[in-house]
Amino acid sequence: MKNILFTIFSLTIINCCVAQQSTVSVEKNYNNWQWDSVFVAKNKYISIAVVPKAAGRILEYNLGDVPSLWLNPKMFGKSFKPTDLVKKNEWRNFGGYRLVPLPIENCAIDSNGDKTQRWPPPAIIGDSPYDAVITTNAEGYKSIKVTSGIQNLPVPTYNDKTKLFNQPTAIDEQLQYSRSLYIKPNSSLVYINHTLKNAGDKIIKRGIMTSSQHVFRSNPELEDGENFLAYVPFNKNYKLPNGKQYEIMGTADSRWRYVNRNRMPIDKNNPEDVKRFYNNGTNWTGEVTPGVFEMHYDYYLMSGFHIISSKSWVCYVNKINNTVFAKILEPYNPSLEYDHGLNVSIFMSGMETGYLETEVKTPLYTLQPGKSFDYKEIHGAAKVSSLPVIDVNETGVITQKINFDTKTNKLKGSYGVFYEGDAVVRLMDEANNIIKDIDLHNVNPLSAFIINYTLEKYKKASRAIILIKDGTSNEHILDEVNFKRQ
């Protein structure tokens, strides 16, 4: 009886500790956003906020007090009835993390009855209220699940000449989207599962694009877009359908027209205006480390960047405080069909409010009536000590890959980590046996992790693995290096 009581008491203590480390709740007027219910997931490192009335968007993903997402304060507290009778200037952009169905080119109907694209995107999925619940997943973690209404396609478009909407004669497709997410204690990772269901009675081919609209200036008075970066890995074996490694979607002419029409009058007889605005963007830095492309925010550019993410990640970086927000994607599969042949794009919004957007595209799936597909993402956040980002995995961010100097016997590397835990150097022999585990120190997402360690013994070692042991003794491999001792 004592053993049973002790077991019950121990489990109660463990559950209380977990509850203190990670919580999911519904908050009224969270952050003074003026919505009556915001679903919030928090632990000691991150906070996530989901707003059902703002189309189920994630409007907060913070590491400590550093935000990753741009919000539109003009939309605080607002919600809109579920209708697709919206005009071009009526996009209800709440900011944050959103989605659109793919392909976008055939979601609407024009005055001739032909399929076309529409701005704003389909509104039932894009900016109408969602249902939201808190559930418990198979691992026992509290999850926030949001579900859209039924999105009918094609959607109507507004005709400026007739002042009427071009209405479709039939509903060809019906879509329903849902998303569930959860976090764990002592980690900055967010586990997200997207589901797109064919809710109609016809076979369809669809995917989705998820987008994070990111912070793009350090304060309202500054235009310091060079401090807000995106990184994407690429492989020369993965080319776009046009044979290019990447494609900048804007041109010098389109950039010039956009600025002149929407931001300020500019003059082609003014050399300073021409130097500044007659280009396709000077922010596409290029390959800053082998296989990684860098870009930063441009306030006067309405243009996208298309590329295939070869290592299944993309990240946004606040360079001012060296904070990385990474997305880990499902691996790119060349045998599947992708919208425009790519799985990642970066968008620069040149609107007066503006934002840098990291966009993830799922494959296009053929769905029978009543069927759905799932797509998984993992988001992680970490502090780093240097840039550029070289690689990302589910343990953390690599900014200097582990290196062994045979002259000094030093191991050196630089990282950001997604877990709190003990950093360990594990030495392996040529037969893949563990020789020794060397405990370094405790690490967590709020502090950069730098290795500068001298190996004084263990000359039989042929490989070193850098790993993090979390509070439940799970091991997460961060990096490794093969070496020969002198």
Side-chain angles (χ1 to χ4, degrees):
M1 183 66 179
K2 287 183 178 180
N3 289 337
I4 294 174
L5 289 174
F6 178 77
T7 300
I8 294 173
F9 177 75
S10 298
L11 289 174
T12 302
I13 294 297
I14 291 171
N15 288 335
C16 287
C17 291
V18 170
Q20 290 174 358
Q21 293 169 346
S22 179
T23 62
V24 178
S25 60
V26 182
E27 307 289 338
K28 184 176 182 179
N29 197 24
Y30 181 74
N31 286 346
N32 201 30
W33 288 346
Q34 302 169 44
W35 283 291
D36 56 7
S37 62
V38 176
F39 287 61
V40 181
K42 285 186 176 182
N43 62 27
K44 65 199 299 186
Y45 296 111
I46 59 172
S47 58
I48 309 293
V50 179
V51 183
K53 288 187 176 179
R57 293 193 186 195
I58 301 172
L59 293 188
E60 179 175 277
Y61 176 28
N62 292 1
L63 177 65
D65 60 359
V66 179
S68 66
L69 298 175
W70 169 79
L71 306 183
N72 187 351
K74 295 179 180 179
M75 290 291 170
F76 285 172
K78 293 185 177 181
S79 65
F80 301 90
K81 64 181 181 179
T83 177
D84 264 302
L85 297 177
V86 290
K87 302 175 185 177
K88 184 177 181 179
N89 63 344
E90 293 178 337
W91 184 34
R92 291 83 177 248
N93 186 18
F94 298 95
Y97 181 77
R98 66 184 186 94
L99 83 149
V100 296
L102 297 175
I104 62 173
E105 289 86 356
N106 64 355
C107 282
I109 200 82
D110 65 16
S111 57
N112 297 320
D114 297 324
K115 297 288 181 67
T116 185
Q117 64 177 324
R118 185 195 73 179
W119 197 262
I124 306 303
I125 280 181
D127 55 36
S128 298
Y130 277 40
D131 292 329
V133 294
I134 297 174
T135 63
T136 301
N137 66 16
E139 295 183 68
Y141 294 103
K142 295 292 184 182
S143 301
I144 300 172
K145 182 177 181 180
V146 295
T147 304
S148 76
I150 301 296
Q151 177 68 67
N152 294 331
L153 296 180
V155 295
T157 56
Y158 186 71
N159 190 319
D160 288 318
K161 293 181 179 179
T162 64
K163 306 303 180 185
L164 298 171
F165 282 93
N166 302 313
Q167 294 279 6
T169 57
I171 296 173
D172 294 336
E173 302 178 51
Q174 291 185 301
L175 309 176
Q176 188 169 38
Y177 168 79
S178 62
R179 179 187 66 238
S180 62
L181 67 82
Y182 69 96
I183 65 175
K184 297 179 180 180
N186 303 322
S187 168
S188 67
L189 294 173
V190 186
Y191 299 86
I192 302 175
N193 185 68
H194 306 276
T195 301
L196 187 68
K197 179 182 178 180
N198 179 359
D201 57 6
K202 301 175 183 177
I203 298 172
I204 65 172
K205 181 185 283 188
R206 286 290 170 192
I208 57 172
M209 181 179 76
T210 63
S211 304
S212 295
Q213 298 174 342
H214 296 291
V215 173
F216 56 94
R217 66 176 87 220
S218 57
N219 69 57
E221 290 74 36
L222 291 180
E223 289 190 355
D224 54 346
E226 68 277 5
N227 292 313
F228 301 93
L229 315 175
Y231 291 98
V232 187
F234 66 90
N235 185 307
K236 293 181 179 179
N237 294 325
Y238 292 153
K239 300 291 180 64
L240 300 177
N242 59 12
K244 295 180 180 180
Q245 186 73 68
Y246 62 86
E247 188 172 19
I248 298 170
M249 303 310 294
T251 64
D253 286 331
S254 67
R255 175 174 165 90
W256 183 272
R257 286 195 302 270
Y258 181 81
V259 174
N260 190 51
R261 291 174 181 174
N262 298 281
R263 298 299 301 275
M264 66 185 76
I266 49 180
D267 183 2
K268 281 198 175 178
N269 293 317
N270 184 337
E272 291 186 4
D273 283 352
V274 172
K275 180 180 179 180
R276 185 178 181 190
F277 297 116
Y278 195 69
N279 53 63
N280 64 0
T282 58
N283 59 322
W284 317 108
T285 312
E287 189 174 9
V288 291
T289 190
V292 177
F293 198 104
E294 179 192 270
M295 60 217 77
H296 65 261
Y297 183 68
D298 185 324
Y299 293 86
Y300 300 91
L301 184 64
M302 182 69 82
S303 181
F305 176 87
H306 287 181
I307 196 168
I308 295 171
S309 174
S310 59
K311 288 188 175 182
S312 304
W313 59 264
V314 60
C315 62
Y316 158 79
V317 177
N318 183 326
K319 189 177 178 181
I320 295 172
N321 47 44
N322 279 348
T323 307
V324 178
F325 292 91
K327 299 178 180 180
I328 301 170
L329 327 173
E330 291 190 6
Y332 174 76
N333 186 343
S335 66
L336 297 180
E337 181 181 354
Y338 291 80
D339 187 45
H340 296 287
L342 60 132
N343 62 347
V344 162
S345 55
I346 309 296
F347 186 74
M348 305 285 166
S349 171
M351 296 189 296
E352 186 176 354
T353 50
Y355 43 81
L356 184 157
E357 193 166 73
T358 54
E359 304 173 337
V360 174
K361 296 187 177 188
T362 74
L364 301 177
Y365 291 100
T366 299
L367 298 176
Q368 299 288 333
K371 299 299 181 180
S372 61
F373 74 83
D374 292 334
Y375 186 87
K376 291 179 171 56
E377 287 183 73
I378 302 174
H379 294 192
K383 294 283 189 177
V384 296
S385 64
S386 61
L387 293 170
V389 171
I390 294 174
D391 206 355
V392 174
N393 55 50
E394 289 188 32
T395 306
V397 178
I398 301 174
T399 58
Q400 180 187 338
K401 190 166 178 59
I402 194 68
N403 176 65
F404 180 65
D405 189 326
T406 57
K407 294 181 179 179
T408 62
N409 288 348
K410 279 189 177 294
L411 282 171
K412 292 184 177 181
S414 184
Y415 310 92
V417 298
F418 299 146
Y419 291 93
E420 176 187 312
D422 295 318
V424 175
V425 176
R426 174 168 291 170
L427 300 178
M428 311 290 291
D429 65 17
E430 291 184 352
N432 210 33
N433 298 312
I434 298 174
I435 297 174
K436 177 77 173 180
D437 276 356
I438 303 169
D439 294 329
L440 298 179
H441 53 80
N442 187 265
V443 295
N444 66 68
L446 291 177
S447 299
F449 172 34
I450 300 172
I451 295 177
N452 189 2
Y453 186 83
T454 302
L455 290 176
E456 297 178 349
K457 299 180 180 179
Y458 317 111
K459 291 187 177 181
K460 294 182 180 179
S462 64
R463 182 162 60 106
I465 299 173
I466 311 302
L467 57 89
I468 310 300
K469 288 185 179 180
D470 65 22
T472 57
S473 298
N474 290 320
E475 296 180 351
H476 309 275
I477 295 176
L478 180 60
D479 200 3
E480 61 180 271
V481 63
N482 294 309
F483 53 81
K484 293 292 184 180
R485 302 291 300 269
Q486 287 184 336

